[in-house]
Amino acid sequence: MASDTLIVIPTYNEAHNIERLIDKLMELDNEVDVLVIDDGSPDKTADFVKNAQAKFQDRVALIERPGKLGLGTAYVKGFEYALDKNYQYICEMDADFSHDPEDADRLINEVRSGNTDVAIGSRYKNGISIINWPLSRLILSYCANIYASTITGLPIFDTTAGFKCIHRKVLEKISIDRIKSNGYAFQIELHFRAWKAGFNLKEVSIVFREREEGVSKMSKAIVREAIWRVWALKFRSIFGTL
């Protein structure tokens, strides 16, 4: 392992994006390794990751799972891998270029410099920085973040952000195996557990772009889970069972 930084990327049907994304990440100022966790993509996403492995040798790792097991379990698997391999800085991001790869450098630098323990790529830090979302999706996201931050008390607005860098000490302390959420709820729970454990969270403004290839993974089940999960987190925190 040459790098102290790992970027974890869950994938499902991202064949059009993943190899190009890895190429971009390999050009960052911060030297990073990449771990792709693919949930049995029918479009053979894993084959394109293997192409990247041939180019970048030990800097790209792949975990292949038999089917769609959920975003949350993918990230937990990735975090466990990162801790086992002694990475100091662990990032998560989407594979569809909604997150600008160059912004990963900014998030990593915030944590590496000691400015924060968790640097969150925020779509709402400086107004609304989202491109090509339909108004209905924007309203849903904005209201969901108001709802989640109000109930949980989180000191950040973009509670559902999926682009971030985390210091390993955070993951070591918050018992990642206890995180059971998926989808947006996973991001809320991760932020909440880190905050309640006494770590500093900082929002860093990014521009979020709607994906150009493939289809969104959003579903009604993801929304429903987020609605009730925030209350579960709130009450578990109150009763000391978090």
Side-chain angles (χ1 to χ4, degrees):
M1 184 188 71
S3 174
D4 61 1
T5 305
L6 180 71
I7 299 182
V8 181
I9 307 173
T11 56
Y12 184 77
N13 284 348
E14 298 291 354
H16 291 289
N17 301 313
I18 191 61
E19 194 170 357
R20 183 164 56 100
L21 175 61
I22 292 172
D23 287 342
K24 293 288 186 182
L25 294 174
M26 293 295 116
E27 297 172 356
L28 295 178
D29 291 339
N30 287 285
E31 184 173 339
V32 304
D33 293 341
V34 171
L35 169 64
V36 176
I37 302 175
D38 185 67
D39 276 2
S41 297
D43 72 352
K44 306 298 183 183
T45 297
D47 289 346
F48 291 88
V49 179
K50 291 170 184 174
N51 291 340
Q53 286 181 307
K55 286 190 290 184
F56 300 111
Q57 300 180 352
D58 295 337
R59 294 182 62 189
V60 179
L62 170 65
I63 295 176
E64 295 184 74
R65 305 199 298 176
K68 294 185 73 172
L69 302 178
L71 183 71
T73 63
Y75 276 128
V76 169
K77 175 70 72 174
F79 294 160
E80 290 172 344
Y81 175 96
L83 294 177
D84 182 62
K85 300 295 183 181
N86 295 315
Y87 287 97
Q88 294 300 306
Y89 310 102
I90 300 95
C91 303
E92 59 171 73
M93 70 182 299
D94 294 343
D96 59 10
F97 282 91
S98 56
H99 300 145
D100 186 341
E102 293 185 5
D103 284 334
D105 264 331
R106 298 170 55 224
L107 300 178
I108 294 166
N109 289 339
E110 286 289 341
V111 180
R112 188 185 295 278
S113 65
N115 288 338
T116 189
D117 302 309
V118 183
I120 300 164
S122 175
R123 299 161 291 183
Y124 303 108
K125 175 65 175 175
N126 294 325
I128 298 174
S129 302
I130 299 175
I131 296 174
N132 291 335
W133 261 12
L135 182 60
S136 59
R137 178 78 181 272
L138 178 59
I139 292 172
L140 174 62
S141 173
Y142 196 84
C143 291
N145 279 292
I146 292 175
Y147 174 84
S149 59
T150 299
I151 293 171
T152 61
L154 272 165
I156 57 172
F157 185 83
D158 200 350
T159 62
T160 60
F163 192 17
K164 61 180 67 71
C165 179
I166 310 165
H167 196 289
R168 71 171 286 121
K169 64 185 178 183
V170 177
L171 300 180
E172 288 175 328
K173 188 172 181 180
I174 65 173
S175 302
I176 55 176
D177 59 311
R178 292 176 60 87
I179 301 177
K180 303 303 181 185
S181 303
N182 274 306
Y184 286 152
F186 172 84
Q187 308 299 352
I188 298 170
E189 183 169 353
L190 179 61
H191 296 148
F192 188 75
R193 288 182 179 275
W195 175 54
K196 283 298 183 179
F199 293 105
N200 184 43
L201 282 62
K202 180 179 180 179
E203 290 183 274
V204 178
S205 181
I206 64 164
V207 174
F208 180 96
R209 292 174 173 81
E210 176 64 305
R211 61 182 301 140
E212 297 178 358
E213 297 281 355
V215 296
S216 171
K217 310 301 191 296
M218 168 68 77
S219 69
K220 291 180 180 179
I222 289 174
V223 174
R224 287 195 297 268
E225 181 193 29
I227 289 172
W228 69 262
R229 180 68 70 177
V230 293
W231 287 104
L233 292 171
K234 175 82 168 181
F235 287 120
R236 286 177 185 172
S237 176
I238 291 173
F239 294 109
T241 59
L242 190 62

